[in-house]
PDB file of all heavy atoms in Angstrom:
ATOM      1  N   GLY A 670     -19.550  31.821 -19.694  1.00 76.00           N
ATOM      2  CA  GLY A 670     -20.288  33.085 -19.734  1.00 76.00           C
ATOM      3  C   GLY A 670     -19.478  34.327 -19.647  1.00 76.00           C
ATOM      4  O   GLY A 670     -19.953  35.429 -19.509  1.00 76.00           O
ATOM      5  N   ASP A 671     -18.110  34.155 -19.866  1.00 80.00           N
ATOM      6  CA  ASP A 671     -17.267  35.333 -19.750  1.00 80.00           C
ATOM      7  C   ASP A 671     -16.697  35.759 -21.153  1.00 80.00           C
ATOM      8  O   ASP A 671     -15.744  36.472 -21.294  1.00 80.00           O
ATOM      9  CB  ASP A 671     -16.088  35.088 -18.811  1.00 80.00           C
ATOM     10  CG  ASP A 671     -15.289  33.840 -19.285  1.00 80.00           C
ATOM     11  OD1 ASP A 671     -15.654  33.248 -20.282  1.00 80.00           O
ATOM     12  OD2 ASP A 671     -14.286  33.509 -18.551  1.00 80.00           O
ATOM     13  N   GLY A 672     -17.339  35.215 -22.196  1.00 81.00           N
ATOM     14  CA  GLY A 672     -16.918  35.581 -23.563  1.00 81.00           C
ATOM     15  C   GLY A 672     -15.905  34.609 -24.144  1.00 81.00           C
ATOM     16  O   GLY A 672     -15.749  34.542 -25.364  1.00 81.00           O
ATOM     17  N   GLU A 673     -15.226  33.803 -23.296  1.00 87.00           N
ATOM     18  CA  GLU A 673     -14.208  32.858 -23.810  1.00 87.00           C
ATOM     19  C   GLU A 673     -14.936  31.668 -24.502  1.00 87.00           C
ATOM     20  O   GLU A 673     -15.912  31.079 -23.877  1.00 87.00           O
ATOM     21  CB  GLU A 673     -13.300  32.356 -22.676  1.00 87.00           C
ATOM     22  CG  GLU A 673     -12.075  31.619 -23.204  1.00 87.00           C
ATOM     23  CD  GLU A 673     -11.410  30.805 -22.097  1.00 87.00           C
ATOM     24  OE1 GLU A 673     -11.676  31.021 -20.941  1.00 87.00           O
ATOM     25  OE2 GLU A 673     -10.622  29.923 -22.497  1.00 87.00           O
ATOM     26  N   LYS A 674     -14.460  31.328 -25.666  1.00 90.00           N
ATOM     27  CA  LYS A 674     -15.104  30.184 -26.389  1.00 90.00           C
ATOM     28  C   LYS A 674     -14.366  28.892 -26.115  1.00 90.00           C
ATOM     29  O   LYS A 674     -13.258  28.907 -25.653  1.00 90.00           O
ATOM     30  CB  LYS A 674     -15.016  30.422 -27.886  1.00 90.00           C
ATOM     31  CG  LYS A 674     -15.611  31.823 -28.337  1.00 90.00           C
ATOM     32  CD  LYS A 674     -17.105  31.697 -28.637  1.00 90.00           C
ATOM     33  CE  LYS A 674     -17.719  32.885 -29.303  1.00 90.00           C
ATOM     34  NZ  LYS A 674     -17.906  34.039 -28.473  1.00 90.00           N
ATOM     35  N   PHE A 675     -15.021  27.780 -26.480  1.00 93.00           N
ATOM     36  CA  PHE A 675     -14.351  26.521 -26.271  1.00 93.00           C
ATOM     37  C   PHE A 675     -13.273  26.402 -27.318  1.00 93.00           C
ATOM     38  O   PHE A 675     -13.331  27.004 -28.402  1.00 93.00           O
ATOM     39  CB  PHE A 675     -15.380  25.359 -26.566  1.00 93.00           C
ATOM     40  CG  PHE A 675     -16.398  25.207 -25.436  1.00 93.00           C
ATOM     41  CD1 PHE A 675     -17.670  25.686 -25.536  1.00 93.00           C
ATOM     42  CD2 PHE A 675     -15.942  24.615 -24.214  1.00 93.00           C
ATOM     43  CE1 PHE A 675     -18.534  25.571 -24.537  1.00 93.00           C
ATOM     44  CE2 PHE A 675     -16.837  24.492 -23.193  1.00 93.00           C
ATOM     45  CZ  PHE A 675     -18.162  24.897 -23.308  1.00 93.00           C
ATOM     46  N   PRO A 676     -12.199  25.589 -27.053  1.00 93.00           N
ATOM     47  CA  PRO A 676     -11.100  25.417 -28.047  1.00 93.00           C
ATOM     48  C   PRO A 676     -11.596  24.641 -29.251  1.00 93.00           C
ATOM     49  O   PRO A 676     -12.518  23.832 -29.123  1.00 93.00           O
ATOM     50  CB  PRO A 676     -10.060  24.604 -27.249  1.00 93.00           C
ATOM     51  CG  PRO A 676     -10.788  23.895 -26.178  1.00 93.00           C
ATOM     52  CD  PRO A 676     -11.981  24.829 -25.819  1.00 93.00           C
ATOM     53  N   GLN A 677     -10.994  24.907 -30.373  1.00 95.00           N
ATOM     54  CA  GLN A 677     -11.333  24.178 -31.574  1.00 95.00           C
ATOM     55  C   GLN A 677     -10.490  22.989 -31.726  1.00 95.00           C
ATOM     56  O   GLN A 677      -9.426  22.997 -32.386  1.00 95.00           O
ATOM     57  CB  GLN A 677     -11.260  25.116 -32.806  1.00 95.00           C
ATOM     58  CG  GLN A 677     -12.400  26.149 -32.754  1.00 95.00           C
ATOM     59  CD  GLN A 677     -12.233  27.254 -33.759  1.00 95.00           C
ATOM     60  OE1 GLN A 677     -11.263  27.984 -33.647  1.00 95.00           O
ATOM     61  NE2 GLN A 677     -13.198  27.428 -34.684  1.00 95.00           N
ATOM     62  N   LEU A 678     -10.940  21.918 -31.071  1.00 95.00           N
ATOM     63  CA  LEU A 678     -10.106  20.681 -31.007  1.00 95.00           C
ATOM     64  C   LEU A 678     -11.020  19.474 -31.311  1.00 95.00           C
ATOM     65  O   LEU A 678     -12.245  19.530 -31.095  1.00 95.00           O
ATOM     66  CB  LEU A 678      -9.574  20.439 -29.596  1.00 95.00           C
ATOM     67  CG  LEU A 678      -8.517  21.425 -29.138  1.00 95.00           C
ATOM     68  CD1 LEU A 678      -8.146  21.218 -27.666  1.00 95.00           C
ATOM     69  CD2 LEU A 678      -7.178  21.259 -29.982  1.00 95.00           C
ATOM     70  N   ALA A 679     -10.378  18.375 -31.751  1.00 95.00           N
ATOM     71  CA  ALA A 679     -11.169  17.213 -32.120  1.00 95.00           C
ATOM     72  C   ALA A 679     -11.939  16.657 -30.920  1.00 95.00           C
ATOM     73  O   ALA A 679     -13.153  16.271 -31.001  1.00 95.00           O
ATOM     74  CB  ALA A 679     -10.196  16.160 -32.647  1.00 95.00           C
ATOM     75  N   GLN A 680     -11.306  16.659 -29.722  1.00 95.00           N
ATOM     76  CA  GLN A 680     -11.918  16.092 -28.559  1.00 95.00           C
ATOM     77  C   GLN A 680     -13.188  16.910 -28.183  1.00 95.00           C
ATOM     78  O   GLN A 680     -14.195  16.316 -27.738  1.00 95.00           O
ATOM     79  CB  GLN A 680     -10.922  16.137 -27.387  1.00 95.00           C
ATOM     80  CG  GLN A 680     -11.169  15.240 -26.235  1.00 95.00           C
ATOM     81  CD  GLN A 680     -11.700  13.919 -26.562  1.00 95.00           C
ATOM     82  OE1 GLN A 680     -12.882  13.553 -26.240  1.00 95.00           O
ATOM     83  NE2 GLN A 680     -10.931  13.092 -27.297  1.00 95.00           N
ATOM     84  N   LEU A 681     -13.095  18.229 -28.365  1.00 96.00           N
ATOM     85  CA  LEU A 681     -14.207  19.073 -28.046  1.00 96.00           C
ATOM     86  C   LEU A 681     -15.402  18.728 -29.008  1.00 96.00           C
ATOM     87  O   LEU A 681     -16.527  18.547 -28.563  1.00 96.00           O
ATOM     88  CB  LEU A 681     -13.830  20.501 -28.221  1.00 96.00           C
ATOM     89  CG  LEU A 681     -14.692  21.711 -27.808  1.00 96.00           C
ATOM     90  CD1 LEU A 681     -15.709  22.039 -28.805  1.00 96.00           C
ATOM     91  CD2 LEU A 681     -15.254  21.477 -26.402  1.00 96.00           C
ATOM     92  N   ALA A 682     -15.096  18.612 -30.295  1.00 97.00           N
ATOM     93  CA  ALA A 682     -16.149  18.250 -31.289  1.00 97.00           C
ATOM     94  C   ALA A 682     -16.780  16.882 -31.002  1.00 97.00           C
ATOM     95  O   ALA A 682     -17.958  16.756 -31.077  1.00 97.00           O
ATOM     96  CB  ALA A 682     -15.502  18.266 -32.688  1.00 97.00           C
ATOM     97  N   ILE A 683     -15.939  15.920 -30.588  1.00 97.00           N
ATOM     98  CA  ILE A 683     -16.407  14.569 -30.277  1.00 97.00           C
ATOM     99  C   ILE A 683     -17.402  14.660 -29.134  1.00 97.00           C
ATOM    100  O   ILE A 683     -18.552  14.119 -29.151  1.00 97.00           O
ATOM    101  CB  ILE A 683     -15.226  13.620 -29.883  1.00 97.00           C
ATOM    102  CG1 ILE A 683     -14.384  13.407 -31.164  1.00 97.00           C
ATOM    103  CG2 ILE A 683     -15.760  12.316 -29.239  1.00 97.00           C
ATOM    104  CD1 ILE A 683     -13.036  12.666 -30.832  1.00 97.00           C
ATOM    105  N   GLN A 684     -17.031  15.376 -28.060  1.00 97.00           N
ATOM    106  CA  GLN A 684     -17.907  15.479 -26.882  1.00 97.00           C
ATOM    107  C   GLN A 684     -19.166  16.224 -27.180  1.00 97.00           C
ATOM    108  O   GLN A 684     -20.237  15.853 -26.706  1.00 97.00           O
ATOM    109  CB  GLN A 684     -17.142  16.114 -25.698  1.00 97.00           C
ATOM    110  CG  GLN A 684     -15.955  15.226 -25.229  1.00 97.00           C
ATOM    111  CD  GLN A 684     -15.180  15.913 -24.091  1.00 97.00           C
ATOM    112  OE1 GLN A 684     -15.729  16.683 -23.281  1.00 97.00           O
ATOM    113  NE2 GLN A 684     -13.919  15.597 -23.963  1.00 97.00           N
TER     114      GLN A 684
END
Side-chain angles (χ1 to χ4, degrees):
D671 57 0
E673 194 194 345
K674 306 273 192 282
F675 288 103
Q677 287 167 303
L678 292 172
Q680 199 41 242
L681 189 279
I683 290 168
Q684 293 179 30

